[in-house]
Amino acid sequence: MTGQTGDLSKFAPHATVVQIDIDPASISRNVPVAIPIVETRRRCSRNLLPHLRKPDHAAWVAETDEWKRTHPLESSREMAGCRLQRSIRSIAAAFPDAIISTEVGQNQMWTAQYFTFRQSRSFLTSGGLGTMGYGFPAAIGAQLGNPGRRVIDIAGDGSIQMNIQELATAVSEGVPVIVAISTTLSWHGPPMAGGLPESTLTPACAWSATRDARLTALSHRKTARRTRRIS
Ligand SMILES: Cc1ncc(C[n+]2csc(CCOP(=O)(O)OP(=O)(O)O)c2C)c(N)n1
Ligand SMILES: [Mg+2]
């Protein structure tokens, strides 16, 4: 709740807000909460988990199934010019059992849609208040925890720069993660005065922005070579 909540007076108007925080000073700091709980996460989870009921999502799943039917992903012919999406499909074909992390942006959205995951608990992505720079350290952690699996960070050319210094960690620790960096021409940024030109919001423009996406895979070995060359 300390992040971007927009107009606070309109924040979740019908919700009963429960805030769990170890710091009493943070309770109701931004949004008035109905139920404050000052507790450590561990103790709180331990006490709350036994009371959770398994939710029934059948209606929601049926609704999303209907959306998938009425708005399917574009056919491969339609995405012929879209190299980023095709590259993600290629990565999925080459490494179908990989653990995938992403950064934030198109790299994340297209990966979520075009990487066909065969195993659960294999997708690490910073949803919600998504944080650029998440994917690479997440990949390093996943690789350390799963030495037998291929781990790939599908990154954007912007986000990778947030934690690119961790290449040194990957090399010095011998962590063989792959980083696939997509180079896009799309525009991101805070809202411009007067809003974005309408054309940049159209799907046609999104396609043309990704037409020029190029994907570069930096393997650990190449990275090590480069690092040696630099040092
Ligand atoms: C730390 C941080 N700063 C800013 C943002 C806002 N933001 C979301 S996506 C994005 C651009 C990401 O660019 P890139 O990594 O190249 O991804 P692409 O969309 O090109 O795949 C920005 C600035 C953010 N989510 N996190
Ligand atoms: Mg980019």
Side-chain angles (χ1 to χ4, degrees):
M1 288 198 303
T2 53
Q4 288 182 353
T5 39
D7 182 348
L8 288 177
S9 66
K10 295 187 183 135
F11 177 79
H14 307 298
T16 303
V17 181
V18 182
Q19 181 176 1
I20 303 165
D21 207 301
I22 194 172
D23 176 10
S26 292
I27 298 289
S28 295
R29 199 170 56 189
N30 292 329
V31 176
V33 299
I35 306 176
I37 302 175
V38 178
E39 188 54 283
T40 64
R41 182 190 54 75
R42 182 191 292 259
R43 278 235 301 268
C44 204
S45 313
R46 208 178 274 157
N47 291 336
L48 284 178
L49 282 177
H51 299 288
L52 291 185
R53 276 192 310 256
K54 196 168 189 297
D56 178 9
H57 295 308
W60 171 241
V61 171
E63 191 172 343
T64 56
D65 281 347
E66 175 64 11
W67 291 345
K68 286 179 196 161
R69 205 182 55 73
T70 49
H71 304 286
L73 277 183
E74 294 72 14
S75 69
S76 35
R77 190 170 55 79
E78 277 167 323
M79 67 177 209
C82 301
R83 291 206 234 151
L84 179 52
Q85 291 88 323
R86 280 194 290 133
S87 302
I88 290 168
R89 278 272 155 87
S90 305
I91 295 173
F95 305 105
D97 296 311
I99 295 174
I100 301 293
S101 67
T102 71
E103 304 292 339
V104 180
Q106 292 183 53
N107 58 85
Q108 176 184 41
M109 299 301 148
W110 295 133
T111 302
Q113 294 185 57
Y114 283 89
F115 197 99
T116 322
F117 289 94
R118 294 205 306 199
Q119 289 187 47
S120 60
R121 302 173 67 83
S122 297
F123 185 38
L124 302 166
T125 198
S126 174
L129 303 172
T131 310
M132 293 166 73
Y134 165 84
F136 188 33
I140 293 175
Q143 186 72 83
L144 287 169
N146 298 270
R149 285 182 69 186
R150 170 56 74 197
V151 180
I152 305 172
D153 172 29
I154 298 182
D157 48 357
S159 299
I160 189 61
Q161 297 182 63
M162 298 280 162
N163 272 321
I164 200 162
Q165 71 277 13
E166 300 307 335
L167 281 171
T169 309
V171 172
S172 66
E173 299 299 316
V175 182
V177 291
I178 288 178
V179 183
I181 303 173
S182 73
T183 312
T184 50
L185 296 180
S186 62
W187 185 89
H188 286 289
M192 296 191 311
L196 280 173
E198 205 175 347
S199 63
T200 58
L201 296 173
T202 64
C205 185
W207 286 130
S208 66
T210 50
R211 271 182 86 87
D212 289 289
R214 291 193 306 275
L215 204 84
T216 319
L218 289 180
S219 72
H220 164 59
R221 206 171 299 149
K222 271 196 202 154
T223 310
R225 267 207 304 274
R226 258 175 223 191
T227 311
R228 269 199 298 275
R229 218 178 299 141
I230 292 166
S231 56

